[in-house]
């Protein structure tokens, strides 16, 4: 029934993007096997190394997390090669999140630190890494360190929504101190 949405689409990139959105919606709805099939279909019809193939791989790793298998998801994320900088930042972030879900906060922190080292001149990467580290420090009760990281992220992020989220989290930690 979703395939009807693809009728008349001549652009393969648009068709792949639509298929990826459908796969995501199926996963969000708890239809994991249907979602897996949809992500796998995109993967098999996309050029290796393409954005669509990368996004399909990220979707398959996300499904592992939904199934309660964050360790397997982390392995998959770690093996991926992103096609561009924003995708690479997303991959690092999801890898760290999978480690957190697997009960490995030290590995998650190491992953965020690796992101900071890998992309020292990328403000988005710096803000994402610092936000992630702040969450880990906050969870450990290290509120002063967490607040400083949130404040740095709020100053560095090129994304207004991320800047606002970081600033709010920093302000809330002032209340908690």
């Amino acid at each position: 029934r979703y395939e009807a949405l693809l009728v008349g689409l001549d652009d393969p990139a648009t068709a792949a993007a639509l298929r990826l959105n459908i796969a995501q919606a199926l996963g969000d709805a708890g239809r994991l096997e249907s979602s897996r099939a949809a992500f796998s279909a995109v993967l098999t019809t996309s050029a290796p190394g393409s954005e669509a193939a990368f996004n399909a791989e990220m979707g398959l790793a996300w499904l592992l997390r939904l199934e309660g298998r964050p360790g397997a998801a982390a392995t998959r994320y770690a093996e991926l090669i992103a096609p561009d900088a924003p995708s690479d930042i997303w991959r690092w972030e999801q890898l760290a999140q999978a480690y957190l879900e697997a009960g490995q906060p030290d590995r998650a922190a190491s992953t965020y630190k690796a992101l900071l080292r890998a992309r020292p001149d990328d403000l988005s990467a710096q803000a994402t890494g610092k936000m992630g580290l702040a969450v880990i420090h906050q969870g450990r009760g290290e509120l002063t360190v967490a607040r400083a990281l949130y404040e740095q992220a709020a100053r560095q992020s090129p994304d207004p929504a991320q800047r606002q989220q970081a600033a709010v989290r920093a302000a809330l930690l002032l209340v908690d101190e």
Side-chain angles (χ1 to χ4, degrees):
R1 128 179 168 203
Y2 296 112
E3 293 297 315
L5 298 171
L6 298 167
V7 173
L9 286 180
D10 296 330
D11 177 31
T14 302
L18 181 56
R19 284 187 171 100
L20 287 165
N21 281 307
I22 292 167
Q24 175 80 36
L26 289 166
D28 287 338
R31 296 174 55 191
L32 303 186
E33 288 309 312
S34 295
S35 179
R36 180 174 285 101
F39 280 126
S40 295
V42 172
L43 186 59
T44 59
T45 59
S46 299
S50 68
E51 183 179 359
F54 174 78
N55 288 336
E57 289 279 10
M58 290 291 286
L60 291 168
W62 169 68
L63 290 173
L64 292 170
R65 290 168 63 191
L66 290 180
E67 293 171 342
R69 299 171 52 205
T75 299
R76 191 165 199 146
Y77 288 132
E79 294 171 351
L80 292 176
I81 297 172
D84 55 39
S87 297
D88 192 43
I89 295 166
W90 178 39
R91 182 191 69 81
W92 282 101
E93 183 177 29
Q94 295 308 302
L95 175 59
Q97 290 298 314
Y99 285 138
L100 280 175
E101 292 168 16
Q104 299 176 24
D106 292 337
R107 283 190 83 179
S110 293
T111 300
Y112 282 123
K113 289 175 185 175
L115 169 59
L116 295 173
R117 285 190 306 274
R119 298 193 167 276
D121 298 324
D122 186 324
L123 294 178
S124 183
Q126 292 296 304
T128 298
K130 288 174 183 174
M131 287 282 291
L133 286 170
V135 169
I136 292 168
H137 284 286
Q138 185 176 354
R140 292 176 176 163
E142 300 164 354
L143 303 185
T144 303
V145 174
R147 188 181 77 244
L149 288 164
Y150 283 134
E151 289 171 351
Q152 289 173 29
R155 286 191 303 272
Q156 289 183 311
S157 179
D159 176 16
Q162 187 179 44
R163 280 196 310 267
Q164 180 180 9
Q165 181 184 39
V168 167
R169 288 183 178 187
L172 289 173
L173 288 181
L174 284 172
V175 173
D176 290 343
E177 286 184 346

